[in-house]
């Protein structure tokens, strides 16, 4: 039964050739949700739309499409696209950390003399690039947790790198044994998420991330290979819904410090994300063009896709940068009354939301062209076209 569901290795991509505008829309929505989550911290956003699962699934679909070419050249090409934007980010972040007083040699989390090898993760993120949990003082412009806010999303690059490197083997396994391969990450997450096996330190974090989002990456493979299309929709959707219900049930009894935030509950995150991605891909319409009601937003969606790495890398850094900007409003002459200050206090996050988008636009203009150079394209300042 397993072999009859496996498509031939030479099978082409699902749907028409060229960009799939539905997948572009999903990626843009995922990025928007990530910014909202890091800005407002609303735990329910992780349930409303599992952005990271969607992003890994879309990346997996693109990777499977690319693997019609020689595997080594594809892996090198993906890493080439990933690393230059990371280098630009590190070139800004590391000097700020050092000027702020971080001494990597004395940081106990870097293992003493091994700090140099840890810093190399800013060159090739085999592990998560290091940074101090706290820096500065309570009287400074930024909160002392700003390094964690700015660099926290870098775990995604570590996970992405390992998925890319493992993709040739994963795709071969999916073609030979589709269902065991597709469900293996969920099984591994169950082993880790229930505490049956505990892996300490950064290795444990990396393995957990690989397990939690591995199913979504493989769903991207399955979508491209046509495997999902072979499953009757009623069966796929009902099974996905049951898995999502299980994820919520598990989350209800294993909530972390932020309640229903699925990022703190690996098994719930894996189950919910897997089920949601199955449904989103089962109903994928494969648009070659945006439908009429989305055409006004075509340029914005295209821009988000063409600058996805830049937006993801810099958005949290820029959210942090909005804090001293909003704080300046307290010094305005008409803001000196208690009523005015109270009003600003109650709308503080809203003003951060307003300010972060011009900052993201500035980052796209200043640094987004690096993505073009990494992809061996001519640099573009504001790529709203194909």
């Amino acid at each position: 039964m397993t072999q009859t569901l496996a498509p031939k290795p030479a099978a082409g991509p699902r749907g028409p050739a060229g960009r799939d505008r539905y997948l572009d829309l999903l990626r843009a929505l995922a990025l928007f949700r990530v910014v909202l989550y890091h800005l407002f911290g609303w735990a329910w956003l992780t349930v409303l739309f599992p952005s990271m699962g969607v992003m890994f699934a879309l990346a997996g679909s693109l990777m499977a499409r690319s693997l019609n070419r020689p595997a080594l050249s594809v892996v090198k090409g993906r890493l080439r696209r990933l690393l230059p934007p990371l280098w630009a980010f590190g070139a800004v972040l590391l000097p700020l950390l050092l000027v702020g007083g971080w001494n990597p040699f004395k940081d106990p989390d870097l293992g003493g003399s091994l700090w140099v090898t840890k810093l190399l993760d800013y060159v090739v993120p085999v592990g998560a690039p290091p940074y101090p949990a706290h820096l500065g003082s309570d009287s400074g412009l930024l909160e002392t947790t700003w390094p964690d806010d700015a660099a926290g999303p870098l775990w995604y690059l570590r996970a992405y790198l390992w998925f890319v490197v493992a993709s040739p083997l994963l795709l071969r396994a999916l073609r030979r044994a589709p269902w065991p391969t597709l469900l293996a990450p969920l099984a591994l997450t169950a082993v880790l998420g229930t505490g049956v096996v505990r892996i300490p330190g950064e290795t444990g974090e990396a393995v957990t991330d690989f397990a939690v989002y591995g199913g979504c990456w493989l769903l991207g493979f399955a979508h491209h290979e046509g495997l999902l299309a072979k499953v009757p929709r009623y069966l796929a959707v009902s099974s996905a819904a049951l898995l999502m219900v299980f994820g919520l049930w598990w989350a209800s009894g294993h909530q972390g410090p932020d309640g229903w935030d699925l990022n703190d509950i690996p098994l719930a995150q894996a189950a919910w994300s897997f089920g949601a991605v199955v449904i989103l891909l089962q109903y994928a319409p494969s648009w070659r063009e945006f439908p009429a009601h989305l055409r006004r937003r075509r340029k914005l969606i295209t821009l988000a896709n063409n600058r996805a790495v830049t937006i993801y890398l810099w958005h949290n850094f820029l959210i942090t940068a909005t804090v001293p900007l909003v704080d300046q409003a307290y010094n305005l002459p008409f803001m000196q009354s208690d009523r005015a200050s109270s009003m600003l206090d109650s709308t503080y996050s809203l003003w951060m939301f307003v300010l972060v988008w011009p900052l993201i636009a500035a980052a796209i203009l200043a640094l987004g062209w690096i993505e073009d150079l990494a992809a061996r394209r001519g640099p573009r300042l504001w790529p709203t076209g194909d």
Side-chain angles (χ1 to χ4, degrees), residues 52-54 56-58 212-221 270 273-274 277:
M52 301 314 300
V54 169
F56 279 117
L58 300 181
V212 168
Y213 297 109
C216 294
W217 187 274
L218 289 168
L219 281 174
F221 282 7
S273 297
F274 190 97
V277 168

Side-chain angles (χ1 to χ4, degrees), residues 149-160:
D149 294 332
L154 291 177
W155 71 269
Y156 173 80
L157 276 71
R158 173 196 64 198
Y160 183 90

Side-chain angles (χ1 to χ4, degrees), residues 303-315:
L303 176 68
N305 278 268
N306 285 331
R307 292 294 179 259
V309 177
T310 299
I311 294 171
Y312 183 83
L313 271 176
W314 289 94
H315 78 276

Side-chain angles (χ1 to χ4, degrees), residues 58-112:
L58 300 181
S61 180
L62 290 175
M63 188 68 186
R65 177 177 177 175
S66 298
L67 282 171
N68 290 325
R69 306 193 304 271
L72 181 59
S73 66
V74 172
V75 171
K76 289 170 61 178
R78 290 292 170 186
L79 295 183
R80 187 187 68 243
R81 291 186 177 208
L82 174 72
L83 297 181
L86 172 64
W87 298 340
F89 184 82
V92 174
L93 178 63
L94 282 175
L96 290 177
L97 294 176
L98 296 174
V99 170
W102 183 46
N103 187 338
F105 184 74
K106 295 182 179 180
D107 191 329
D109 294 331
L110 297 187

